[in-house]
Amino acid sequence: NAGVTQTPKFQVLKTGQSMTLQCAQDMNHNSMYWYRQDPGMGLRLIYYSASEGTTDKGEVPNGYNVSRLNKREFSLRLESAAPSQTSVYFCASRTGQGVGETQYFGPGTRLLVL
Amino acid sequence: GQQVMQIPQYQHVQEGEDFTTYCNSSTTLSNIQWYKQRPGGHPVFLIQLVKSGEVKKQKRLTFQFGEAKKNSSLHITATQTTDVGTYFCAGETGGYQKVTFGIGTKLQVIP
């Protein structure tokens, strides 16, 4: 099992450009998450999908959209990138069958917006 | 919304010294999880606490959940250089399928 995979690993964008961050998990998990990590800010939830076909906003959703393409895949889209979106983005998943389940994180995407 | 405060934000210790990080939630939690992130890596699950007053140990690591289920701590005895990284607590309430992470404590161990 690959676990949670993310592409790309690194990306440099110019202000105003768009891009999609891809995430896939092979653990048959129901719930998937997108976080951003900034120095001194910890991990902040952008969007999550409790199950296939549903998505909900997290703490910092502005400037992002998500798509739960199927049970395996959960993508994060930046429509018009801004320097404030420079960050490390982590995707995570868990079984989604109850509370208190371990989240499994992907390796992260490091994004720089110039 | 739910807030999880974590202190300290940074800690430098001499190898062999003990280390403790504390988490405090604004609301009662159903459970709390702890994660470790090595420099340049991603968060990795360490442990979960569910019961009021629960204490769990993993070798030199001791985890506690407060009686009111609003606070938690992670204590490392006799730190080693392999303990370097950032430790996050993550609190969950109810069954909403989302957790709130603390800001993390970055541990540096001086050999």
Side-chain angles (χ1 to χ4, degrees), chain B:
Chain B
Q2 179 188 332
Q3 289 188 343
V4 176
M5 312 299 290
Q6 189 174 355
I7 56 168
Q9 194 170 344
Y10 302 96
Q11 185 80 58
H12 292 80
V13 299
Q14 206 74 34
E15 188 173 16
E17 291 181 339
D18 292 357
F19 159 77
T20 305
T21 173
Y22 301 90
C23 269
N24 204 47
S25 169
S26 58
T27 59
T28 301
L29 301 170
S30 60
N31 68 84
I32 194 159
Q33 300 171 9
W34 286 91
Y35 292 78
K36 178 182 178 180
Q37 184 178 24
R38 294 184 185 275
H42 60 276
V44 174
F45 175 80
L46 291 176
I47 209 160
Q48 175 182 275
L49 304 169
V50 179
K51 299 176 184 175
S52 170
E54 189 169 15
V55 178
K56 287 189 177 181
K57 293 190 176 185
Q58 286 181 349
K59 297 183 181 178
R60 294 177 295 104
L61 279 60
T62 302
F63 303 84
Q64 293 189 327
F65 201 12
E67 294 290 341
K69 299 183 74 173
K70 296 180 76 171
N71 60 286
S72 181
S73 64
L74 157 59
H75 179 81
I76 302 179
T77 303
T79 54
Q80 300 174 359
T81 54
T82 53
D83 295 325
V84 164
T86 301
Y87 293 85
F88 292 96
C89 61
E92 184 172 3
T93 55
Y96 301 106
Q97 290 299 328
K98 66 176 182 178
V99 297
T100 301
F101 279 79
I103 200 171
T105 297
K106 187 173 183 178
L107 173 64
Q108 190 64 256
V109 178
I110 305 161

Side-chain angles (χ1 to χ4, degrees), chain A residues 73-91:
Chain A
E73 299 171 288
F74 189 37
S75 63
L76 179 71
R77 182 160 177 84
L78 286 69
E79 291 291 351
S80 179
S84 61
Q85 293 178 306
T86 292
S87 188
V88 180
Y89 292 85
F90 287 102
C91 177

Side-chain angles (χ1 to χ4, degrees), chain A residues 41-112:
Chain A
M41 300 293 288
L43 287 154
R44 293 182 293 170
L45 182 65
I46 305 171
Y47 271 94
Y48 69 106
S49 172
S51 60
E52 188 179 356
T54 69
T55 59
D56 286 286
K57 294 178 180 179
E59 183 185 352
V60 288
N62 291 345
Y64 305 95
N65 284 303
V66 290
S67 294
R68 183 74 183 267
L69 304 168
N70 48 56
K71 193 171 185 179
R72 288 187 66 246
E73 299 171 288
F74 189 37
S75 63
L76 179 71
R77 182 160 177 84
L78 286 69
E79 291 291 351
S80 179
S84 61
Q85 293 178 306
T86 292
S87 188
V88 180
Y89 292 85
F90 287 102
C91 177
S93 72
R94 61 195 243 178
T95 60
Q97 293 174 349
V99 299
E101 302 164 347
T102 305
Q103 287 192 65
Y104 296 88
F105 283 81
T109 294
R110 282 151 181 79
L111 176 65
L112 173 63

